[in-house]
Amino acid sequence: MDSLIPLFIIIPLGIAFLIPLTWRLIPGICRFLPSTGMLALVVIAFFLLFYVGEGVVTYKVGGWEPMDNIPIGIHLVADGLSMMMLIIVNIIGMMAGLFSIPYINKYTGENYYYSLFSLMVAGMNGVVMTGDLFNLFVFLEVSVIASYALVAFGTSKYELEASFKYQVLGGIASLFILFSLAMTYWYTGTLNIADVAQVIRSGSEGSTALFIQLFMVAGFGLKAAMIPFHAWLPDAHSSAPSPISAMLSGVLIKAIGVYAILRLFFTMFNITIEISYVITTIGVLSMVVGVLLAIGQWDMKRLLAYHSISQMGYVMTAAGIAMIIIAKGGETRVAALALAGGLFHMFNHAAFKSLLFLNAGAVEYSTGTRNLKELGGMADLMPITSITSMGASMSISGIPPFNGFFSKLIIIIAAVQGRFYLIALLAVIVSIITLASFMKVQRYVFLDKTRTQKLEDAREVPFLMCLPMIIMAILCLAMSLMLIPGIRDTFLLNAVNTLLSVIS
Amino acid sequence: MITYLLCFILFLVGLYGVLTRKNLIKIIIGLSVMEYSLYLFLTLIGYIEGGAAPIIDPSKPASLVVDPLPQAFVLTAIVIGLATTALLLAIAIRLYKKYKTFDIDKINTLKG
């Protein structure tokens, strides 16, 4: 069964190199290859999720068995959390891949687009699965280098500028991460995550571990665009082609930013009160400042990009609350609740934010603009885009019965139960401002009756662009079902227990 | 110890360059300086005073050898660094064609 695990890297990587080779012969099939491959991966991921259950399945690359209990070689790990992340990454990847087929037609060099797209997914799958720190760095670089190129794909001056900014800040982040990994190797003499955890937990000295953790927060925080490190995100995410924006905002900042922070901090280090406060502070700051910056934007995709910062702030805040409770030795039940809320919000955010970016892409595809002031009255002309976007907007602003409501509710309940009343209040206020900001989007783009003359000949987008949007809108509703007991255990609680099992 | 400190100073010099220079090419050079300081640091981690190259010869008794793992990392990191630098330079050239300048103060269409 563990032989299925490397497929998550082999299939997208294979597709990435197959497409440039066979493009001239069968371009029609090549266009569908990335989404087909990811569909297969989603099926495998669901299968493995049910198979591993609460356990862990490890695949040893190259078949190197541990010698004297010292792991050599690279391990790929499948557990509840990594399988959930893989399902999310590959579902969003599949939808963005389908959406790209009509959307990317106007660009030259389509084959390179699909190739880079698959490469990015391969890198993200690798980051999620790997059990080795240096391997994590390599896969992280694979996915970000592909994303640098994809942001610049349009090669207009905006895209090039955004890509350059993204690359410089991303480069600094990568070097911080590499430095922290070098320090980890120096301190522990190993790079296998489970092995590092053993060494760090048995050691008594804490200051070196704290130093490593601070560099990791800076590095992965830059990748996740948490607030003091957010400068590149609005430019990069709004300049990229829309399916790529959906991938960047929907899964890339999670897989290589927040997921990496959660995974490394919960499984590798002793959770200390200092680092918990750092994480909570940047989480709350991102949550509040992100939404305040978002509300003044008139560029649709830029507004969505700032909301990504704010929503990821929710996830980080929830994780921070859980860490503070654990560090203080409080009730594990509340910590688990906060963590469940955070992870649930992370999965939900992938669904609704990708959908919103696809909507923005559809509007831009039909009208040629994404400036809110130039748009208006699109609801009659583009009914499917309008309805799906309404669903996603309600989901992100936390209106029942959409999934965003439940995850925010869990986070707020956990904050109240852990006696973080200020954080709970801020979370509610931010949610209200988010609602206001999305009412602005809905009004100016879709519901407003005044429509300028040049918008009259806008038409609904082709079927292949509508289909992903409809599926994602259904997903926004269906993910609420993850709270039903029974379904909850498989999908959510296994992931939470993966993180908490090491601590208790 | 002093070599580690020098490494860290080199890292900070690179970071200073990235943060203060206004020229695209100089920013890329700053990033490269940061990268090289890290390669140096990684190699130093595995280094042992008087250690031999890590080639195990069964006919000879085991001698003091340096740690080969960081050297493997450095090789991988250099390849990754090459890809990053090449892409950065490619984008910088395209930017120069659009704006006719390398000055980042004049390349500022994206704001807010």
Side-chain angles (χ1 to χ4, degrees):
Chain A
M1 197 55 60
D2 56 348
S3 55
L4 283 176
I5 294 174
L7 284 181
F8 286 98
I9 295 155
I10 294 170
I11 290 181
L13 211 57
I15 290 172
F17 291 100
L18 202 64
I19 287 174
L21 291 178
T22 56
W23 183 264
R24 277 168 187 277
L25 306 173
I26 39 168
I29 296 175
C30 281
R31 285 193 181 94
F32 284 93
L33 261 182
S35 23
T36 322
M38 279 163 225
L39 177 65
L41 291 183
V42 173
V43 175
I44 298 174
F46 268 110
F47 180 64
L48 274 174
L49 180 72
F50 287 111
Y51 176 76
V52 293
E54 288 178 32
V56 178
V57 178
T58 314
Y59 176 83
K60 299 182 187 69
V61 179
W64 296 95
E65 295 295 330
M67 285 175 83
D68 311 331
N69 279 329
I70 301 166
I72 49 177
I74 294 164
H75 292 186
L76 297 178
V77 181
D79 53 28
L81 180 61
S82 60
M83 282 302 122
M84 263 325 278
M85 274 310 285
L86 283 178
I87 291 174
I88 290 293
V89 168
N90 288 300
I91 285 184
I92 307 292
M94 182 172 77
M95 296 305 159
L98 279 179
F99 190 89
S100 306
I101 294 167
Y103 186 88
I104 218 71
N105 246 329
K106 63 181 171 183
Y107 294 95
T108 53
E110 268 182 273
N111 48 347
Y112 300 119
Y113 172 87
Y114 292 112
S115 185
L116 285 167
F117 184 82
S118 310
L119 207 57
M120 188 165 83
V121 175
M124 277 190 278
N125 286 350
V127 168
V128 172
M129 312 244 332
T130 187
D132 179 274
L133 283 176
F134 195 74
N135 196 235
L136 185 141
F137 175 74
V138 173
F139 277 122
L140 184 144
E141 286 295 292
V142 168
S143 64
V144 293
I145 290 175
S147 75
Y148 297 153
L150 282 168
V151 167
F153 198 75
T155 63
S156 79
K157 57 184 187 179
Y158 304 105
E159 283 141 357
L160 291 171
E161 189 192 335
S163 174
F164 192 83
K165 216 185 235 181
Y166 180 24
Q167 281 191 55
V168 170
L169 286 170
I172 294 175
S174 299
L175 293 175
F176 278 165
I177 293 169
L178 185 60
F179 183 67
S180 68
L181 299 187
M183 287 296 293
T184 314
Y185 183 71
W186 191 25
Y187 182 48
T188 62
T190 174
L191 281 166
N192 185 293
I193 292 179
D195 214 25
V196 170
Q198 241 173 21
V199 176
I200 287 187
R201 278 170 209 280
S202 59
S204 55
E205 194 221 357
S207 60
T208 316
L210 190 66
F211 186 73
I212 296 169
Q213 278 170 301
L214 283 176
F215 265 91
M216 277 189 178
V217 169
F220 289 113
L222 252 167
K223 293 280 188 209
M226 291 289 110
I227 263 299
F229 319 112
H230 69 288
W232 59 270
L233 183 135
D235 296 342
H237 287 200
S238 61
S239 302
S242 284
I244 296 306
S245 307
M247 284 301 279
L248 292 178
S249 253
V251 286
L252 191 81
I253 57 171
K254 297 183 182 66
I256 68 173
V258 179
Y259 170 84
I261 288 181
L262 288 178
R263 169 60 52 128
L264 295 183
F265 280 47
F266 276 90
T267 48
M268 251 169 56
F269 297 106
N270 294 314
I271 294 172
T272 53
I273 195 78
E274 296 94 340
I275 212 75
S276 320
Y277 277 127
V278 169
I279 294 217
T280 316
T281 314
I282 61 172
V284 173
L285 264 180
S286 311
M287 193 167 83
V288 176
V289 180
V291 80
L292 291 179
L293 289 170
I295 194 152
Q297 298 298 325
W298 288 99
D299 181 332
M300 194 168 167
K301 279 169 78 175
R302 219 176 162 77
L303 186 144
L304 296 178
Y306 274 114
H307 275 294
S308 286
I309 300 176
S310 170
Q311 300 300 315
M312 289 329 282
Y314 272 98
V315 180
M316 286 294 263
T317 312
I321 289 175
M323 287 171 83
I324 291 180
I325 293 170
I326 291 167
K328 281 187 175 167
E331 280 182 88
T332 325
R333 191 183 56 82
V334 183
L337 188 68
L339 212 51
L343 289 178
F344 191 28
H345 198 65
M346 182 157 86
F347 303 145
N348 290 343
H349 180 255
F352 56 67
K353 185 50 66 69
S354 316
L355 175 53
L356 281 166
F357 268 113
L358 294 187
N359 291 141
V363 169
E364 197 187 1
Y365 181 84
S366 291
T367 63
T369 179
R370 48 175 203 252
N371 188 333
L372 295 182
K373 286 176 184 165
E374 290 172 19
L375 290 162
M378 305 308 292
D380 310 337
L381 299 177
M382 306 173 71
I384 294 175
T385 311
S386 171
I387 290 167
T388 49
S389 152
M390 179 67 96
S393 300
M394 298 218 283
S395 189
I396 194 174
S397 12
I399 295 185
F402 287 93
N403 54 6
F405 168 74
F406 295 105
S407 48
K408 283 185 185 177
L409 188 68
I410 295 174
I411 293 175
I412 292 167
I413 290 174
V416 171
Q417 285 192 349
R419 300 205 186 79
F420 299 97
Y421 298 115
L422 183 66
I423 292 177
L425 183 70
L426 281 173
V428 174
I429 293 172
V430 168
S431 188
I432 293 169
I433 305 175
T434 310
L435 178 64
S437 149
F438 276 94
M439 278 164 75
K440 171 176 143 182
V441 173
Q442 290 298 322
R443 179 178 172 275
Y444 276 92
V445 179
F446 296 108
L447 303 177
D448 201 0
K449 288 293 167 223
T450 55
R451 185 160 59 205
T452 50
Q453 196 56 47
K454 68 169 185 176
L455 291 179
E456 287 297 338
D457 50 354
R459 286 287 163 269
E460 183 59 271
V461 288
F463 171 71
L464 271 179
M465 289 166 88
C466 287
L467 182 70
M469 292 197 287
I470 295 169
I471 295 175
M472 302 267 271
I474 295 169
L475 208 60
C476 278
L477 271 171
M479 281 175 88
S480 312
L481 298 178
M482 272 166 64
L483 285 181
I484 295 174
I487 303 177
R488 183 175 59 191
D489 299 337
T490 320
F491 288 97
L492 205 54
L493 295 187
N494 274 349
V496 175
N497 291 337
T498 312
L499 286 180
L500 287 179
S501 60
V502 193
I503 289 141
S504 51
Chain B
M1 196 64 214
I2 193 85
T3 38
Y4 290 109
L5 270 180
L6 284 174
C7 244
F8 195 64
I9 290 169
L10 196 61
F11 186 81
L12 293 180
V13 167
L15 189 60
Y16 176 80
V18 173
L19 295 178
T20 57
R21 295 297 103 177
K22 297 287 176 207
N23 188 311
L24 294 184
I25 302 295
K26 285 180 184 166
I27 291 175
I28 297 172
I29 292 174
L31 266 178
S32 299
V33 170
M34 280 169 83
E35 258 173 49
Y36 289 128
S37 78
L38 274 180
Y39 302 158
L40 208 57
F41 178 67
L42 268 167
T43 325
L44 277 173
I45 289 173
Y47 180 70
I48 299 170
E49 192 80 50
I55 303 164
I56 309 292
D57 188 353
S59 64
K60 286 178 194 165
S63 59
L64 196 64
V65 290
V66 298
D67 187 354
L69 206 58
Q71 299 179 358
F73 299 158
V74 172
L75 283 179
T76 319
I78 286 174
V79 176
I80 293 171
L82 173 75
T84 327
T85 314
L87 194 60
L88 265 169
L89 285 169
I91 301 281
I93 292 167
R94 292 300 282 267
L95 270 173
Y96 183 77
K97 279 183 186 157
K98 298 277 180 199
Y99 288 89
K100 302 288 173 219
T101 175
F102 277 126
D103 188 349
I104 54 167
D105 283 339
K106 297 201 177 77
I107 304 173
N108 57 357
T109 37
L110 292 170
K111 268 185 188 153

